[in-house]
Every structure is written in C-alpha cells, then in structure tokens.
Amino acid sequence: MKRARIIGTGSYLPAKVLTNFDLEKMVDTSNEWISTRTGIDERRIAADDEMTSDLALIAARNAMDMAGVKAEDIDLIVVGTITGDYPWPSTACIVQDKLGAINAGAWDVSAACSGFVYALSSAVQFINGGNAKRALVIGAEIFSRIIDWEDRNTCILFGDGAGAVVLEAQEGDAGVLSTHLKADGSFWELLYQPGFGAVHPASVSGIEQRLPFLRMAGNEVFKVAVRSMYEVANEALTANDMTTADLAMLFPHQANRRILDAVKKRLKLTDEQMFINVDKCGNTSGASIPIALDEANRKGMLKEGDIIMFDAFGGGFTWGSCLVRW
Ligand code: ACO
C-alpha cells in the first residue's frame, strides 16, 4: 500500500530577534512575567520587506533540497496560514509562482494554529486517493502584522516563521498513518480577528477600534486547548492500536510552555518524548509544528521507524492530530 511519506523538511525564521527585554520597553510587562507564564524568551519578527510567501518559499526550498525534488515534480501545494500576503489570491498561488511549480494545484487552508495539520491532512487525502504523487505542505505566518502591539495580553505570545514538508507516495510502512481533524465553531469569538472581512469591511472607524488586530480570551483558550490536544492525541493512538509508550516524539503546536506542560502531564509523556522550542520561537501559529519538526530532523533526533505525532489546536476552534511512522 502506498502512503504519504515525509521525504524532506525545511524551515525559515526571520533574522530579527525580539526578546522579552525588548518587549519591556514597548508595553507594561517584564521578562519574568512572560517567561514564567508562557516559557517564551524570544521570538522572530519578519522584516518590513518580507512577506508570508517569502518565508514560505525559503522553508519550501529547504524541504525540496532535502527531498531532492524539483519544482515541476510537485502536484500540489497546500499552505496553512491566516496571515497570507493578501486576503486573496492564496499565498499558495504566490509560492507556486515563485517556485515555478508549473504542474501544481495550490490553495490555502484557514485553520489558524491548526493550519499545518489541516493542510497536511488535505494533502494526504490526495496522495492516499492516488490523485497526487508529491505534495508540498507549508505552514507560514507573519502574526506580527495582525498583533496589537499595545495589548500586553497578546503581543508577547506570537512570532513569525515558516516550516514545510515534502510528501511523496511511497510503498511500505513508513509515512502518515492517520489524521484526525476536529472543530467547534461555537468558540470562534474566543480567538479571532474582527476586521476586515464581510462583517466589518475596511473603514477608518474600524482602524480606530483596532478591528484588524487579533483578539483572544487567554484563560478560556488555555482550558479547551489542553483538553482538546489531549483527546485528539489519544484518539490517534487508539485508532492505530498504540499507546503513548509507542511515541518517539510528540510535536505539539507551540502555543506556550504551560499548555505544553499540561498536555505532556495528561498524556504521561517524558521530557524526551515532547519537542519544545517555544522558548526561542514564540507561538508561530500554523508554522510552529513544521518548524519544530525541521529542527528535530536536522539535529538527527528522528530515526527511521520512529512513531511521531503532530498535535495542534487553534482558532475556530480547530484541532487535530497526525500520526506518522518516520
Ligand atoms: N505582562 C504583565 N502582566 C500581564 C501581561 C503581560 N504581558 N499580560 C497580562 N497581564 C496581567 C493581566 O492584566 C492580569 O492582571 P490583573 O490580575 O491585574 O487583571 C494578570 O496579568 C493575570 O492575567 P491572566 O490573563 O489571568 O494571566 P494568565 O496566567 O492566564 O496568563 C496567558 C495569560 C499566558 C495568555 C494564558 O492565559 C495562556 O497561556 N492562555 C493560552 C492562550 C494562548 O496561548 N493563546 C495562543 C493562541 S491560541 C493557540 O495557539 C492554541
């Protein structure tokens, strides 16, 4: 049976580092507060002339180099992002053009911090159904452009970046074993961007009301995130007749350290079974899982046959898991 196998990973973080000490000069906060509440020490911020498609392109090229795949060999490009270059066209189309991936269909997936898991799951269905041989799946975000830099509740959490994987249909046991996607739209108002869409079209008064910036009810997000990430990770293991003991490594969405610690505790994972880089990257939303995966992969932390899992949660609410034999 052919499976969608990850044959290359790549990532890109912008050069500019924004530390907690930098934030102390911007809003009423402290390194100590941010570090103890979130586990974040620093995050990257895209340069003014860097767009989401630029970050995505570098991550994609790195993944394609590792995979040894040329642009014309790619059948589809799926980008998980909610901070694309434009409301439309899709950032995937812009990446498709910049890569010269002339044989690829391309679209974006809007699932906030679950964007990569949703995008990966979409691509896997095409490969499993025999409709694509190779897919490029990217998570890319520039949250620094939708953050209210005067709101200390939210501006300390997020960072910019991109990660990518190349999937290829291959015979054998290795590859994506399952994907489980979930949503509960009744929670949409706990984490969202009010403007500018159909409800609040662009207006000067909308800017004065700060509608284009992210809004979040942090405490409520926290509780549902922990429960949902735990449940959907368990669902994936049960569906594959596995337990947490089978997991070589979990790659959770890097929301913040306390969410990750709570998930780790509920799943009874060891430190070695949980990959965490939120301290250096902050919350990069849909990009966080492929950035983490690429870091682990390039450090040689994954070996053939390892069982790994992606476990995401984000606005919508959306959440999902993806179990992979490496
Ligand atoms: N610096 C200093 N004080 C702050 C800051 C800050 N940056 N932000 C908030 N505070 C203050 C608040 O104003 C509040 O003060 P008050 O008691 O005088 O009103 C106090 O700190 C406590 O605020 P809480 O919101 O209760 O702080 P909490 O311990 O819940 O931590 C946090 C806030 C980190 C946002 C937490 O709720 C959380 O982790 N939530 C999850 C949200 C998240 O990670 N979202 C990311 C997007 S969703 C996703 O990726 C899954």
Side-chain angles (χ1 to χ4, degrees), residues 28-30 33-34 37-38 113 152-153 156-158 191 216 218-219 221-222 225 253 255-256 258-259 283 313-314:
D28 181 14
T29 191
S30 66
W33 194 98
I34 302 172
R37 302 285 177 129
T38 71
C113 302
R152 68 176 184 175
N153 291 292
I156 54 137
L157 292 171
F158 297 95
L191 184 58
M216 181 184 76
N219 281 318
V221 173
F222 192 104
H253 163 51
N256 69 56
R258 285 194 303 164
I259 289 183
N283 179 345
F313 180 87

Side-chain angles (χ1 to χ4, degrees), residues 11 223 247 294:
S11 61
K223 282 177 232 150
L247 264 189
D294 187 47

Side-chain angles (χ1 to χ4, degrees), residues 240-275:
N240 288 280
D241 272 331
M242 292 184 193
T243 68
T244 45
D246 295 300
L247 264 189
M249 201 167 285
L250 183 79
F251 291 91
H253 163 51
Q254 308 282 316
N256 69 56
R257 182 79 202 209
R258 285 194 303 164
I259 289 183
L260 302 188
D261 284 345
V263 171
K264 187 176 79 178
K265 195 172 161 198
R266 286 193 71 172
L267 286 171
K268 299 191 175 66
L269 296 178
T270 62
D271 288 349
E272 292 68 35
Q273 284 176 297
M274 183 100 163
F275 192 89

Side-chain angles (χ1 to χ4, degrees), residues 9 45 57 69 91 143 153 160 163 225-226 240 258 309:
T9 64
I45 304 293
L57 186 70
V69 163
T91 296
F143 257 58
N153 291 292
D160 303 335
V226 173
N240 288 280
R258 285 194 303 164
M309 194 193 294

Side-chain angles (χ1 to χ4, degrees), residues 14-27 29-35 38-45 149 155-159 278-282:
K16 183 180 170 189
V17 176
L18 185 74
T19 67
N20 295 347
F21 298 103
D22 297 325
L23 282 163
E24 285 183 354
K25 295 176 201 136
M26 298 162 63
V27 288
T29 191
S30 66
N31 172 54
E32 201 265 330
W33 194 98
I34 302 172
S35 181
T38 71
I40 299 168
D41 298 326
E42 59 185 45
R43 68 289 288 145
R44 300 299 183 95
I45 304 293
W149 287 103
C155 75
I156 54 137
L157 292 171
F158 297 95
V278 72
D279 52 324
K280 300 190 298 280
C281 301

